[in-house]
Amino acid sequence: MTFMKKRVFFLFSFLFWAISPVFSQNFYPILPKPLVLEPKEGTFILPPNPVIAVAGTDPVLRRLAEELAHRIGTAAGKDTKVFAGNFRVRDGINFVTGKDAKLGEEGYLLEITPKRIVITAEQPKGFFYGLQSLLQLMPAEIYGSVRAENIPWSIPCCYIEDRPRYAYRGLMLDVGRHLYPVSFIKKFIELIALHKMNVFHWHLTDDQGWRIEIKKYPKLTQIGSQRKETMWGHYSDQKYDGKPYGGFYTQEEIREVVNFAREHFVTVIPEIEMPGHASAALAAYPEFGNNPDKLYQVGTKWGVHEDVFAPREETFRFLEDILTEVIDLFPGQYIHIGGDECPKNQWKESRFCQELIRKEGLRDEYGLQSYFIRRIDRFITSKGRKIIGWDEILEGGISPNATIMSWQGTEGGIAAAKQHHEAIMTPGNFCYLDHYQADANTQPIAIGGLTTLEEAYSYNPTPAELTPEEAKHILGVQGNVWTEYMPSSEYVEYMTFPRAIALAEVGWTLPSHKNIDDFKKRLNIHKKRLEYWNVNYFGAPLNRTFIYQWPSKK
């Protein structure tokens, strides 16, 4: 072959490589983006009767394999069998338990050749995440609930080595302001798991509603879960709908949700607010407030309320009783105790609080807040658990065992890490999904602010100010869905997705591997999957987009 012919040959070979769907990055639309993805030539074609072989007898792996078989059977109409044993099948899918220390609890290997598919992991969670990547390489119809006709059930060949950047990858849902059915809570958890996030932070109490059944204190739900009306329209309108609103989750329902989350490798972290955001609790049990003669009521207005718990011994016993039941319901290591937006006026005006400040040698009311948090920290620690608090619990001095959730910016997380405390980064300008995501004039009402998909995606949770040793204390990242302006589950979906998917990639993928244009290309393919999941995401087709009519702000 002459020199010129060689040049032409290699040029056409390169162009084929660049545009071929086998090698195109867009042909591997996995979210979040894997650590290593090596395209390979060819495809694996699902045979008429696929076989899934599971190495060993782990019942969890067997369940995952059965779920995959069911999905293939439903969407592709193929009779898929699951076998257990230490062998690998051709023309099938193999779950292989590996002992590769670099994979860890959540890592996996996925190898797809024309002859077989092999998922290798050390732990069930790794197999689960490997399975999510495999499903995302199949046609989107794999997520359908009926058989898809005339679909080429082929999967592009590749080699994937994958594990997450951060151990904590969470999404918070506020049910204090608006309540959502258990069916939607489960769907929300499924979507968390689908995107390889692993924490559901359940904000269960606030001024506007107490949403968790506590057997010892039934008035928390009899009274505290009910408000007489709800703000209608934007806060500045100061309008109300005049309609009673209420509801709560029974302990049976909570156990159902926790078990469902466990099956999807998602940890549920409950949040019980204290010492502030206590209006609903005090409406039920006013004796634990700073003025027992006051007629407290469940909040009807958004924002910060003055009513806070009094730091009396009987209050701590009350909260410890509540937390005892909460701990019994939620087996994860963390209990979130809030700690944010605690006004100090009632403590300043309380003779008891001022005497307690002097008795304990506290600096001021901020020191009293720290005293309050330390008391709760000791109790939760005695139960073998850890507390998480919003970054205000740094005020007056951090509690010994506390993990900080940094929302007012990155400063709280930086301060915690420098004091060798663990921190979860969730600064509002990147991670608050109640903000507008486009021009407010084109969108349903939101609380304010603007956090675009691009801005959420650009976030790096590890602050540059930290040394490598300090940076180890950054556990991860979380998106927060505050629901003052989200009266329905459709509205929650509209505000949450796809920005939560961007944050999922922030938590999983190394910054050097991220690219917003590449992310958007993968997301465009992923949107069809969201439609099969019946997710009302922002930008969905017009016949699916949710519009909620509020009074005019004028």
Side-chain angles (χ1 to χ4, degrees):
M1 187 181 291
T2 67
F3 176 74
M4 183 57 69
K5 288 182 178 179
K6 286 183 179 180
R7 290 188 63 184
V8 172
F9 172 79
F10 285 119
L11 175 61
F12 276 100
S13 297
F14 173 78
L15 290 173
F16 173 81
W17 184 93
I19 65 176
S20 170
V22 171
F23 292 102
S24 170
Q25 177 63 38
N26 293 339
F27 201 60
Y28 300 91
I30 297 174
L31 290 163
K33 188 174 184 178
L35 178 66
V36 175
L37 192 158
E38 297 177 2
K40 302 292 183 181
E41 188 171 1
T43 60
F44 175 87
I45 307 296
L46 277 178
N49 302 108
V51 173
I52 303 174
V54 180
T57 58
D58 188 325
V60 177
L61 297 189
R62 176 80 186 201
R63 174 175 62 81
L64 293 178
E66 294 284 3
E67 290 173 358
L68 175 60
H70 176 74
R71 191 171 289 282
I72 293 173
T74 300
K78 296 177 182 290
D79 184 19
T80 306
K81 303 295 185 183
V82 176
F83 295 97
N86 293 313
F87 58 88
R88 297 191 186 189
V89 295
R90 290 191 58 173
D91 296 327
I93 302 168
N94 299 267
F95 286 38
V96 177
T97 302
K99 296 299 180 183
D100 190 339
K102 66 182 178 182
L103 293 178
E105 182 184 19
E106 298 184 303
Y108 66 93
L109 303 176
L110 174 59
E111 187 172 10
I112 301 172
T113 71
K115 294 182 178 179
R116 62 167 61 94
I117 295 173
V118 180
I119 303 175
T120 304
E122 295 182 42
Q123 299 293 333
K125 189 178 288 188
F127 282 103
F128 179 78
Y129 292 142
L131 181 56
Q132 303 316 306
S133 292
L134 173 60
L135 289 170
Q136 290 183 7
L137 290 174
M138 295 184 183
E141 286 79 3
I142 192 67
Y143 294 102
S145 57
V146 296
R147 180 175 178 176
E149 301 292 343
N150 302 317
I151 296 294
W153 290 101
S154 60
I155 306 168
C157 293
C158 61
Y159 171 81
I160 295 173
E161 179 183 321
D162 202 10
R163 57 186 178 276
R165 181 186 183 193
Y166 293 105
Y168 187 109
R169 307 176 304 282
L171 199 57
M172 185 278 291
L173 180 63
D174 161 30
V175 297
R177 279 52 178 262
H178 284 102
L179 186 74
Y180 309 99
V182 168
S183 59
F184 176 70
I185 301 300
K186 289 182 176 180
K187 180 181 180 182
F188 198 77
I189 289 170
E190 283 186 295
L191 291 169
I192 287 173
L194 175 68
H195 298 99
K196 299 188 179 78
M197 302 173 95
N198 60 2
V199 174
F200 171 48
H201 172 180
W202 206 357
H203 185 85
L204 287 162
T205 73
D206 218 301
D207 291 303
Q208 295 81 17
W210 185 281
R211 306 295 179 208
I212 175 172
E213 178 188 27
I214 301 298
K215 302 285 190 181
K216 191 168 184 177
Y217 298 101
K219 288 191 289 185
L220 284 170
T221 46
Q222 292 170 359
I223 297 173
S225 73
Q226 307 292 322
R227 60 175 180 258
K228 66 179 183 180
E229 59 184 359
T230 300
M231 293 197 84
W232 185 256
H234 202 276
Y235 184 90
S236 60
D237 297 329
Q238 290 295 299
K239 294 181 180 180
Y240 297 84
D241 63 5
K243 300 176 182 178
Y245 185 94
F248 63 93
Y249 302 101
T250 66
Q251 292 197 1
E252 182 179 356
E253 289 174 324
I254 287 172
R255 287 194 174 92
E256 180 184 342
V257 168
V258 169
N259 289 334
F260 182 85
R262 183 188 299 113
E263 291 178 351
H264 290 78
F265 302 94
V266 172
T267 298
V268 184
I269 296 179
E271 182 178 357
I272 309 298
E273 279 273 17
M274 61 185 78
H277 288 290
S279 296
L282 294 176
Y285 294 94
E287 60 267 34
F288 302 118
N290 292 280
N291 184 357
D293 296 327
K294 180 177 179 178
L295 295 175
Y296 297 96
Q297 68 172 354
V298 180
T300 59
K301 180 180 291 189
W302 311 138
V304 180
H305 292 229
E306 289 292 319
D307 297 326
V308 301
F309 287 117
R312 298 178 181 272
E313 289 303 314
E314 52 266 37
T315 304
F316 288 116
R317 287 196 296 272
F318 168 69
L319 293 173
E320 288 170 4
D321 289 341
I322 290 170
L323 290 169
T324 295
E325 293 194 31
V326 170
I327 287 170
D328 183 59
L329 291 168
F330 296 91
Q333 65 173 324
Y334 289 113
I335 303 294
H336 202 304
I337 51 83
D340 63 312
E341 298 177 329
C342 177
K344 310 296 190 294
N345 290 339
Q346 292 182 353
W347 288 352
K348 288 179 180 179
E349 297 168 358
S350 165
R351 180 180 301 175
F352 170 81
C353 290
Q354 294 305 310
E355 290 177 354
L356 182 61
I357 288 172
R358 288 191 291 271
K359 177 184 174 183
E360 295 292 331
L362 306 175
R363 187 182 72 228
D364 52 18
E365 290 76 23
Y366 290 94
L368 183 57
Q369 176 172 307
S370 182
Y371 166 84
F372 194 109
I373 299 299
R374 286 199 303 270
R375 288 286 302 264
I376 298 299
D377 185 1
R378 283 202 302 271
F379 175 76
I380 291 178
T381 300
S382 74
K383 298 293 185 179
R385 306 297 182 86
K386 299 177 181 179
I387 70 166
I388 297 177
W390 301 106
D391 53 42
E392 286 95 330
I393 70 171
L394 287 163
E395 299 168 355
I398 192 171
S399 190
N401 303 307
T403 294
I404 300 300
M405 190 164 274
S406 187
W407 75 276
Q408 296 183 99
T410 60
E411 294 80 9
I414 293 170
K418 286 184 175 295
Q419 296 178 56
H420 307 292
H421 281 259
E422 294 176 333
I424 299 158
M425 305 304 287
T426 178
N429 55 321
F430 295 104
C431 301
Y432 270 44
L433 306 183
D434 55 336
H435 292 176
Y436 285 105
Q437 52 196 321
D439 184 347
N441 294 320
T442 68
Q443 295 300 303
I445 193 169
I447 197 168
L450 177 65
T451 299
T452 63
L453 177 74
E454 292 80 3
E455 185 170 12
Y457 188 79
S458 71
Y459 183 49
N460 183 353
T462 299
E465 296 91 328
L466 299 179
T467 68
E469 193 62 32
E470 292 167 342
K472 294 177 182 178
H473 294 286
I474 303 298
L475 294 182
V477 63
Q478 176 173 288
N480 293 330
V481 185
W482 300 103
T483 65
E484 288 93 336
Y485 299 96
M486 302 181 202
S488 72
S489 55
E490 292 89 352
Y491 212 147
V492 170
E493 292 176 358
Y494 184 86
M495 298 298 289
T496 304
F497 300 100
R499 289 182 294 180
I501 304 172
L503 290 176
E505 188 148 310
V506 167
W508 184 278
T509 305
L510 292 174
S512 59
H513 288 49
K514 289 170 53 188
N515 178 281
I516 185 62
D517 293 329
D518 172 60
F519 171 77
K520 287 181 177 179
K521 290 175 183 177
R522 286 177 284 122
L523 180 62
N524 282 336
I525 296 173
H526 189 67
K527 286 177 179 178
K528 188 174 181 181
R529 301 174 195 141
L530 295 180
E531 290 169 20
Y532 276 105
W533 280 87
N534 196 32
V535 177
N536 185 54
Y537 62 88
F538 170 67
L542 288 178
N543 64 334
R544 294 171 44 78
T545 299
F546 174 72
I547 301 296
Y548 194 88
Q549 298 297 325
W550 294 93
S552 169
K553 290 190 284 185
K554 296 181 180 178

